[in-house]
Amino acid sequence: MRKNIVAGNWKMNKNLQEGIQLAKELNEALKGKSLNCDVIVGTPFIHLASVAEAVDTNKIGVAAQNCADKESGAYTGEVSSEMVASTGAKYVILGHSERRAYYHETPEILKEKVLLALKNDLTPIFCIGEVLEERESEKHFEVVKSQIEASLFELSPEDFSKIVLAYEPVWAIGTGKTASPEQAQEMHAFIRKTLVEKYGKEIADNTSILYGGSANAGNAKELFSNPDVDGGLIGGASLSVDKFMPIIEAF
Ligand code: PEP
């Protein structure tokens, strides 16, 4: 069966010392707890190795927030999937709306990133989601379907079954405006139906689909209680243990 997952996305926050401190505090808070979900923290590149060292990686998975679309070579400033994997990280967030919008990551670029992540045994947490105008003009289903098709639907069933999806309506990210539990469930059920049509029921049923967008301690329980919402990708509320723990414990 698919896993419940609560994944933090620290974005470009916390210097190295602060990040290690946060990771250690989370590790401490999780000690001795039996959880109903997997916990992941998505850190900046430079934190990965230290955070993987500082936590019990059986309890806390470590994720990069990006990786290069090239294998290796003369790409100044880039970080490859192989490098990410060599830090002890097991996941990589790909296709986040901030990367699509600010760094012009196209579906084709993302397709390459996904392939390289899989080649290096990283689990992609692949983000999809519509902007406000697309929802208001009722194009949100079409947009999300085409984001999935364009970057993921050439994967073999075996490779696709290694993907985690995160539905993140762009209008809800960092805005304090969460999708309602009904809106989240409606889209997650649509995504799962899209996966059934392409890869069949078994793979679709086993794919974790996370919700992201201003999820917090106050709304996580209601969001996660939906049958097709398998957890959350959490930005702002993952930056302190006080705010992140209640979301983990909402499962
Ligand atoms: C995110 O960036 O993935 C996110 C969901 O951010 P926030 O929780 O802050 O809206």
Side-chain angles (χ1 to χ4, degrees):
M1 257 325 262
R2 59 185 180 258
K3 288 178 178 167
N4 295 327
I5 299 171
V6 173
N9 175 13
W10 294 359
K11 311 194 187 193
M12 198 174 72
N13 293 294
K14 308 279 179 196
N15 67 27
L16 180 59
Q17 289 72 29
E18 291 165 348
I20 294 170
Q21 179 64 24
L22 172 58
K24 283 185 175 165
E25 283 173 20
L26 182 63
N27 196 53
E28 209 44 49
L30 291 175
K31 260 191 196 145
K33 297 233 155 128
S34 69
L35 302 173
N36 295 317
C37 64
D38 287 2
V39 177
I40 298 170
V41 290
T43 83
F45 286 131
I46 65 145
H47 299 53
L48 290 172
S50 308
V51 167
E53 185 75 34
V55 302
D56 174 358
T57 47
N58 294 314
K59 280 226 142 155
I60 303 176
V62 180
Q65 300 170 16
N66 181 28
C67 68
D69 61 336
K70 304 287 191 302
E71 200 145 6
S72 66
Y75 300 102
T76 302
E78 287 295 291
V79 176
S80 72
S81 290
E82 189 190 352
M83 292 171 187
V84 168
S86 74
T87 66
K90 299 280 184 233
Y91 300 85
V92 57
I93 299 168
L94 290 175
H96 193 282
S97 62
E98 288 153 15
R99 297 225 46 100
R100 291 181 193 256
Y102 307 149
Y103 301 98
H104 313 294
E105 295 196 357
T106 63
E108 293 69 35
I109 291 172
L110 292 171
K111 191 153 84 178
E112 294 306 312
K113 293 188 178 199
V114 168
L115 287 172
L116 287 167
L118 290 170
K119 188 172 172 194
N120 288 286
D121 294 325
L122 294 172
T123 298
I125 301 173
F126 191 81
C127 305
I128 53 207
E130 80 285 355
V131 298
L132 187 60
E133 305 83 79
E134 290 164 341
R135 178 160 282 265
E136 284 176 346
S137 55
E138 297 190 3
K139 293 206 172 82
H140 45 301
F141 294 116
E142 190 187 311
V143 166
V144 166
K145 186 174 183 182
S146 78
Q147 288 172 337
I148 297 172
E149 280 175 348
S151 299
L152 301 177
F153 272 9
E154 283 177 28
L155 293 175
S156 66
E158 194 194 340
D159 276 346
F160 185 85
S161 63
K162 297 171 188 157
I163 304 281
V164 171
L165 291 174
Y167 168 58
E168 300 207 297
V170 180
W171 46 270
I173 297 180
T175 57
K177 200 174 165 207
T178 321
S180 68
E182 294 74 24
Q183 285 172 320
Q185 170 56 25
E186 185 185 34
M187 180 58 87
H188 284 226
F190 170 78
I191 293 169
R192 207 175 303 283
K193 180 171 139 287
T194 303
L195 304 187
V196 171
E197 284 161 8
K198 172 70 183 171
Y199 288 108
K201 189 166 171 6
E202 193 180 338
I203 288 182
D205 279 347
N206 284 318
T207 302
S208 298
I209 308 175
L210 316 185
Y211 166 80
S214 299
N216 58 42
N219 56 33
K221 222 183 185 82
E222 219 186 333
L223 285 163
F224 298 169
S225 66
N226 287 292
D228 288 294
V229 178
D230 308 310
L233 181 55
I234 316 297
S238 71
L239 292 171
S240 81
V241 172
D242 285 356
K243 291 188 176 143
F244 198 41
M245 264 315 274
I247 303 177
I248 295 168
E249 291 181 318
F251 271 118

